[in-house]
Amino acid sequence: MHAEQPVRTGRAKRLPRAVRERQIMDAAVDVFSRLGFHAASMDEISDVAGISKPMLYAYLGSKEELFATCIRREATRMMEAIAGGVEAEAPPDVQLWSGLRAFFGFVGENRASWQVLHRQASSQGGPFAEELADMRGRAISLVAALLVHSADFGNVPRAGDKEAESLAAALVGAGESLADWWLDNPEEPAGVVAARLMNLVWMGFGDLVAGDVWHPPSRRPESVADGAPVS
Amino acid sequence: MHAEQPVRTGRAKRLPRAVRERQIMDAAVDVFSRLGFHAASMDEISDVAGISKPMLYAYLGSKEELFATCIRREATRMMEAIAGGVEAEAPPDVQLWSGLRAFFGFVGENRASWQVLHRQASSQGGPFAEELADMRGRAISLVAALLVHSADFGNVPRAGDKEAESLAAALVGAGESLADWWLDNPEEPAGVVAARLMNLVWMGFGDLVAGDVWHPPSRRPESVADGAPVS
Amino acid sequence: MHAEQPVRTGRAKRLPRAVRERQIMDAAVDVFSRLGFHAASMDEISDVAGISKPMLYAYLGSKEELFATCIRREATRMMEAIAGGVEAEAPPDVQLWSGLRAFFGFVGENRASWQVLHRQASSQGGPFAEELADMRGRAISLVAALLVHSADFGNVPRAGDKEAESLAAALVGAGESLADWWLDNPEEPAGVVAARLMNLVWMGFGDLVAGDVWHPPSRRPESVADGAPVS
Amino acid sequence: MHAEQPVRTGRAKRLPRAVRERQIMDAAVDVFSRLGFHAASMDEISDVAGISKPMLYAYLGSKEELFATCIRREATRMMEAIAGGVEAEAPPDVQLWSGLRAFFGFVGENRASWQVLHRQASSQGGPFAEELADMRGRAISLVAALLVHSADFGNVPRAGDKEAESLAAALVGAGESLADWWLDNPEEPAGVVAARLMNLVWMGFGDLVAGDVWHPPSRRPESVADGAPVS
DNA sequence: CATGAATGAGCATTCATTCAT
DNA sequence: GATGAATGAATGCTCATTCAT
């Protein structure tokens, strides 16, 4: 994972800007993931990064900018890791499966990144939530497209976009939650856990598309809608 | 939902302690859900509650105590709402379905509570995270028990506890994520959304139990395990 | 010493004003002596007194007034205890001796009063210091008068008032310090400790009056005056 | 004495850490001596020091730490001033005399230090009182050792340690009180006042050692012990 | 370029004091 | 008379941010 230098002493060596920037962001991701946005202090970040606070500001701007930059970088890294594991020409189920595997792989190897993305980012108000929600939204859309594409293959009346999107949201949430569960229960290999989710979702989705649905014994499920007005 | 009085002026009317306490906690849940624990200030909470800060402290103790009390109250409310919608004698699928309906119903009617529980609580270090993680863990265990119970019905070799638990974690995460999605896309009735999740999960789970599983076209899914060492 | 009722419950019984007042002041002296003026809170005082805060204010006014009243009462009690032990017609040495005995007796029996008078009162700015300094000044003056009177008896050129006053100040300070020492070393009876001080001072004073003084071996003691300008 | 700038305006000039630290402590001693620990606010101290509050905390830690540091510094300064004025090889009376002179000299030149040490430190609970009481205790022990040493010279049955200690406590208290009196009556030179105390104590002590003691006319002085039970 | 030194602004918390019942 | 409920005004302390060297 990202390196740290707990205490710093003396003058920092002059380094090319790009290297410095990465060094700082590594430190920032580490600190943010451990303490969360608010509890993390610029003092600690600069300490961990091994530079002085004015440098921190010179390179990455304000605390908010720094956080946003971290999130963007980590989100990009994750998206790229996933995209890199997926073959665009493969059939939908294979794409989904490869994506899941890549996702679990990334989470396992980048715990700090994952913590920042999953836990910290969503809990802040301000501009972060929006940015992160955007990225998450894009991920959901990609999955939704996959689902739609797959359903098309099956000669079935095309499911509404909204239906696919909602299922994609559920799938993404399931993946996130399962990833967290896996971090707490690491005795099972990532592949097994990922496969389990793949099975659950893909088979369920197949049944759904095939019209093979579950029915409540007596009442129609829609009946609940009456009791849940959206304010 | 909970009322607010942005600015307060003059002396607050004398109220019995219990009423004031609820009033304050409503305000606190509102503010915490909007800003998160750290960004929420006791000043704002007391403003929203329509009282002065000393009352806040007299009634609910420190900021941490207040937050913990809020979380506990909202978590209890949600658990009770769900438990109240589930018949203990019903078959597992019906129980799951009722639980889902009750969950979506609660989220729809208590957005602030949901935000606090879902977003804020997990992102703080300290004692909150633990407490909340405990409750989530209990919820997952309940669902896992349901799954195990259901699988037993089917004369199938009993799924390992870990397998059930992981699936339950996925299901809970899917529910959370779908609830969030629904709050952003409220045009579909809660029942429809909940039913979709129910279908996906239950049918998929049925296939899983029946041994009707998805296979990657060429490589065994386990192969991914090699690339995801747990550090 | 003064009684306490740690916790109070229900409505206080109606009592004649004088009794209530004494009750309150006993509590206040107790709390002030334990915590000092600033650290003592009106909340704690009212708790210990067994009444509500508004009563506290109704009876004794502000915190400063309460403190001043306490000091005045305790100082008066002490002065009266001492005066009561001294026979006005007795020769000066006997008067001094009786006064010392009475002083040590009072301190032994009223530790809280003594703490308030000695430690708390002098450390506050404000009007207390002045009031207390006044009382202490009066005590010093009384002792000084005794010394002057005694010297007159001895057919000696009357010592300057200032000289007597300074010696009285020294004696009072010695008594205070010795009383504190005695509270920390209670194994010796008060009478023994008091007698020791009496001896030291009276014999030394006798020598002084008799012109039997100590001389530095080589240099005149006054030489130090040059190095100690008063700013 | 220490300089003050009641109001501060603009940014403070950059100073090396050590200088600023002394500047701050000078201000703190000044404020603490005027107002006492509790009434002194960090705001006022930083104002008087001519810096902002964060600097105060950066350099000296919390209010308690600052106070403790002040006390330690001033106590050390005073002890050193006194020790520096005393020749270790001189006979006991000369040592006592030099110590007294040095003490009065220090008090005259460092009123604020003296106030902090004498008035504020003893009135606080917490760790200060203990620390200060320790130093005072050490001072008393030193004086007691001097007295014992001196008595030994006189071929007299060695006075009990407790007796010497109590007399030392009386002497120290007399010195403190006389110093306060002198600050209020500065028309007499320090040397004269100090000499007066030296005379009183030394001659009285000589008589005591010589067995030349004062006796109450009729009753034995010990009789008072009955009336002073130690609770 | 790099940093030690500096600060404005805010936050949690407490306390003396007073209404309204 | 007596009290629970209420508050204005500090106070200790921290943090993101920026000069001056």
Side-chain angles (χ1 to χ4, degrees):
Chain A
M1 220 167 305
H2 308 309
E4 314 176 19
Q5 291 128 274
V7 278
R8 183 175 61 86
T9 208
R11 204 175 193 79
K13 275 236 310 265
R14 290 189 53 165
L15 291 177
R17 180 165 190 122
V19 175
R20 257 292 140 77
E21 242 164 37
R22 225 191 42 197
Q23 197 178 80
I24 296 176
M25 289 189 51
D26 288 350
V29 168
D30 175 56
V31 174
F32 282 134
S33 75
R34 278 190 287 114
L35 306 176
F37 176 74
H38 267 104
S41 78
M42 295 298 263
D43 260 299
E44 173 146 10
I45 293 174
S46 67
D47 266 16
V48 170
I51 55 156
S52 66
K53 259 194 300 180
M55 279 289 94
L56 195 51
Y57 280 88
Y59 278 111
L60 275 313
S62 73
K63 190 185 183 187
E64 294 215 339
E65 284 177 81
L66 172 59
F67 189 65
T69 307
C70 285
I71 287 189
R72 236 169 273 138
R73 187 185 77 165
E74 299 306 317
T76 304
R77 283 185 54 216
M78 189 171 93
M79 299 299 248
E80 282 173 355
I82 295 177
V86 174
E87 220 176 321
E89 304 303 320
D93 57 342
V94 174
Q95 284 195 39
L96 188 57
W97 166 240
S98 325
L100 267 177
R101 280 195 315 178
F103 167 66
F104 274 84
F106 180 86
V107 168
E109 288 171 25
N110 301 275
R111 298 172 84 112
S113 312
W114 172 244
Q115 304 270 356
V116 173
L117 290 173
H118 185 41
R119 288 218 225 290
Q120 310 306 338
S122 59
S123 65
Q124 318 306 333
F128 319 123
E130 222 166 310
E131 183 139 6
L132 233 282
D134 268 15
M135 301 205 96
R136 201 168 178 274
R138 273 203 294 281
I140 290 179
S141 296
L142 285 176
V143 174
L146 224 54
L147 296 181
V148 168
H149 188 211
S150 143
D152 284 354
F153 270 102
N155 285 70
V156 169
R158 196 190 117 119
D161 279 358
K162 280 295 174 190
E163 175 161 21
E165 199 181 294
S166 67
L167 286 172
L171 171 51
V172 166
E176 291 168 346
S177 179
L178 194 53
D180 278 347
W181 181 89
W182 173 57
L183 289 180
D184 286 339
N185 298 269
E187 61 275 6
E188 299 202 70
V192 171
V193 178
R196 217 173 273 148
L197 179 57
M198 181 67 197
N199 270 319
L200 179 73
V201 166
W202 193 253
M203 300 309 286
F205 184 65
D207 291 336
L208 205 66
V209 169
D212 188 6
V213 298
W214 175 89
H215 275 135
S218 53
R219 301 157 63 195
R220 296 201 325 276
E222 286 75 4
S223 63
V224 78
D226 312 334
V230 182
S231 65
Chain B
M1 219 168 306
H2 310 308
E4 313 176 20
Q5 293 125 274
V7 277
R8 187 174 59 85
T9 205
R11 187 169 262 249
K13 264 233 327 249
R14 282 185 68 143
L15 288 180
R17 188 174 182 112
V19 175
R20 260 289 134 80
E21 228 162 55
R22 230 193 34 202
Q23 196 176 92
I24 294 177
M25 287 191 51
D26 289 349
V29 167
D30 174 55
V31 175
F32 281 136
S33 75
R34 279 190 287 112
L35 306 176
F37 176 76
H38 268 106
S41 80
M42 294 298 262
D43 263 299
E44 172 142 13
I45 293 174
S46 67
D47 267 15
V48 171
I51 55 155
S52 65
K53 258 193 301 180
M55 281 284 92
L56 202 50
Y57 282 89
Y59 282 172
L60 275 311
S62 71
K63 190 184 182 185
E64 291 217 341
E65 284 178 83
L66 173 58
F67 189 65
T69 308
C70 285
I71 286 189
R72 238 170 269 141
R73 187 185 77 166
E74 299 308 319
T76 304
R77 284 184 54 214
M78 189 172 93
M79 297 301 247
E80 282 173 357
I82 295 177
V86 174
E87 220 175 322
E89 305 300 320
D93 58 341
V94 174
Q95 283 194 43
L96 189 59
W97 167 239
S98 325
L100 268 178
R101 279 197 314 179
F103 168 66
F104 275 85
F106 180 87
V107 169
E109 287 171 26
N110 301 276
R111 299 173 80 113
S113 312
W114 171 244
Q115 306 269 357
V116 173
L117 291 172
H118 185 41
R119 290 218 226 290
Q120 312 307 338
S122 58
S123 64
Q124 318 305 335
F128 317 125
E130 221 167 311
E131 185 141 3
L132 236 281
D134 269 16
M135 300 202 97
R136 200 169 179 273
R138 274 203 295 280
I140 289 179
S141 294
L142 286 176
V143 172
L146 224 55
L147 296 183
V148 169
H149 189 211
S150 143
D152 284 353
F153 269 101
N155 285 71
V156 169
R158 198 192 117 118
D161 279 359
K162 281 296 176 190
E163 175 163 22
E165 202 182 293
S166 66
L167 286 171
L171 170 51
V172 166
E176 292 169 346
S177 178
L178 193 54
D180 279 348
W181 180 88
W182 173 55
L183 289 180
D184 287 340
N185 298 268
E187 59 275 7
E188 297 200 72
V192 170
V193 177
R196 216 173 276 149
L197 178 58
M198 180 69 196
N199 268 319
L200 178 72
V201 165
W202 194 253
M203 300 308 286
F205 182 67
D207 292 336
L208 204 64
V209 167
D212 188 4
V213 297
W214 175 88
H215 276 133
S218 52
R219 302 157 62 193
R220 297 198 326 277
E222 284 78 3
S223 63
V224 78
D226 311 333
V230 182
S231 62
Chain C
M1 220 168 304
H2 308 307
E4 315 176 19
Q5 291 127 272
V7 278
R8 183 176 62 86
T9 208
R11 204 176 190 77
K13 274 234 313 261
R14 289 191 51 164
L15 289 177
R17 182 168 187 117
V19 175
R20 258 291 140 80
E21 242 163 37
R22 225 191 41 197
Q23 197 178 81
I24 295 177
M25 289 188 51
D26 288 349
V29 168
D30 175 57
V31 175
F32 282 135
S33 76
R34 278 191 288 113
L35 306 176
F37 176 75
H38 267 103
S41 78
M42 296 298 263
D43 261 299
E44 172 146 11
I45 293 174
S46 68
D47 266 16
V48 171
I51 55 157
S52 67
K53 260 192 302 181
M55 281 287 93
L56 194 53
Y57 281 87
Y59 277 112
L60 275 313
S62 74
K63 189 185 183 185
E64 293 216 340
E65 284 177 82
L66 172 58
F67 188 65
T69 308
C70 284
I71 287 188
R72 238 171 271 138
R73 187 185 78 166
E74 299 307 318
T76 304
R77 284 185 55 215
M78 188 171 93
M79 298 300 249
E80 281 173 357
I82 295 177
V86 173
E87 222 176 321
E89 304 302 319
D93 57 342
V94 174
Q95 283 194 41
L96 188 57
W97 168 239
S98 325
L100 266 177
R101 281 196 314 178
F103 168 66
F104 274 84
F106 179 88
V107 168
E109 288 170 26
N110 301 276
R111 298 172 82 112
S113 312
W114 171 244
Q115 305 270 356
V116 173
L117 290 173
H118 185 42
R119 288 217 228 291
Q120 310 306 338
S122 58
S123 65
Q124 317 306 333
F128 319 123
E130 223 166 310
E131 183 139 7
L132 234 282
D134 269 15
M135 301 203 98
R136 200 167 179 276
R138 275 204 293 281
I140 290 179
S141 295
L142 286 177
V143 174
L146 225 54
L147 296 182
V148 168
H149 188 210
S150 145
D152 284 353
F153 269 101
N155 286 71
V156 168
R158 198 191 118 118
D161 278 359
K162 280 296 175 189
E163 175 161 22
E165 201 181 293
S166 67
L167 286 171
L171 171 51
V172 166
E176 292 168 346
S177 179
L178 194 53
D180 278 349
W181 181 89
W182 174 56
L183 290 179
D184 287 339
N185 298 269
E187 60 275 6
E188 299 200 71
V192 171
V193 177
R196 216 174 276 149
L197 179 58
M198 180 68 195
N199 269 320
L200 179 73
V201 165
W202 194 254
M203 299 309 286
F205 184 66
D207 291 337
L208 204 65
V209 168
D212 189 5
V213 298
W214 175 89
H215 276 132
S218 53
R219 302 157 61 194
R220 297 201 324 280
E222 285 76 5
S223 62
V224 78
D226 313 335
V230 181
S231 65
Chain D
M1 218 168 306
H2 310 308
E4 312 176 21
Q5 293 125 273
V7 276
R8 186 173 61 86
T9 205
R11 186 169 263 248
K13 264 231 331 246
R14 282 183 69 145
L15 287 180
R17 188 172 184 115
V19 175
R20 261 288 133 81
E21 228 162 54
R22 230 192 36 203
Q23 196 177 93
I24 294 177
M25 287 192 50
D26 289 349
V29 168
D30 174 55
V31 174
F32 281 136
S33 75
R34 278 190 287 113
L35 306 176
F37 176 76
H38 268 106
S41 81
M42 295 299 262
D43 263 298
E44 173 144 11
I45 293 174
S46 67
D47 267 15
V48 170
I51 54 154
S52 65
K53 254 192 307 178
M55 282 284 93
L56 202 50
Y57 282 89
Y59 283 174
L60 275 313
S62 71
K63 190 184 182 186
E64 293 217 340
E65 284 177 83
L66 173 58
F67 189 64
T69 307
C70 285
I71 285 189
R72 237 169 270 142
R73 187 185 78 166
E74 299 308 318
T76 304
R77 283 185 55 214
M78 189 172 94
M79 298 301 246
E80 282 173 356
I82 295 178
V86 173
E87 219 175 322
E89 304 301 321
D93 57 342
V94 174
Q95 284 194 41
L96 188 58
W97 167 240
S98 325
L100 269 177
R101 280 197 313 178
F103 168 66
F104 274 84
F106 180 87
V107 169
E109 287 172 26
N110 301 277
R111 298 173 83 112
S113 312
W114 171 244
Q115 306 269 356
V116 173
L117 291 173
H118 185 41
R119 290 219 224 290
Q120 311 308 337
S122 58
S123 63
Q124 317 306 334
F128 318 124
E130 221 167 311
E131 184 141 4
L132 236 283
D134 268 16
M135 301 204 95
R136 199 169 180 273
R138 273 203 296 280
I140 289 180
S141 294
L142 285 177
V143 173
L146 225 54
L147 296 182
V148 168
H149 189 213
S150 143
D152 284 353
F153 269 101
N155 286 70
V156 168
R158 198 189 117 117
D161 278 0
K162 281 296 175 188
E163 175 162 20
E165 201 182 294
S166 66
L167 286 172
L171 172 50
V172 166
E176 292 169 347
S177 179
L178 194 54
D180 279 349
W181 180 88
W182 174 55
L183 290 180
D184 288 339
N185 297 269
E187 59 276 7
E188 298 201 70
V192 171
V193 178
R196 218 173 272 149
L197 178 57
M198 180 68 197
N199 269 319
L200 179 73
V201 166
W202 195 253
M203 300 310 285
F205 183 65
D207 291 334
L208 205 65
V209 169
D212 188 6
V213 298
W214 175 88
H215 277 132
S218 54
R219 301 158 62 196
R220 297 198 327 275
E222 283 77 4
S223 63
V224 79
D226 311 335
V230 181
S231 63

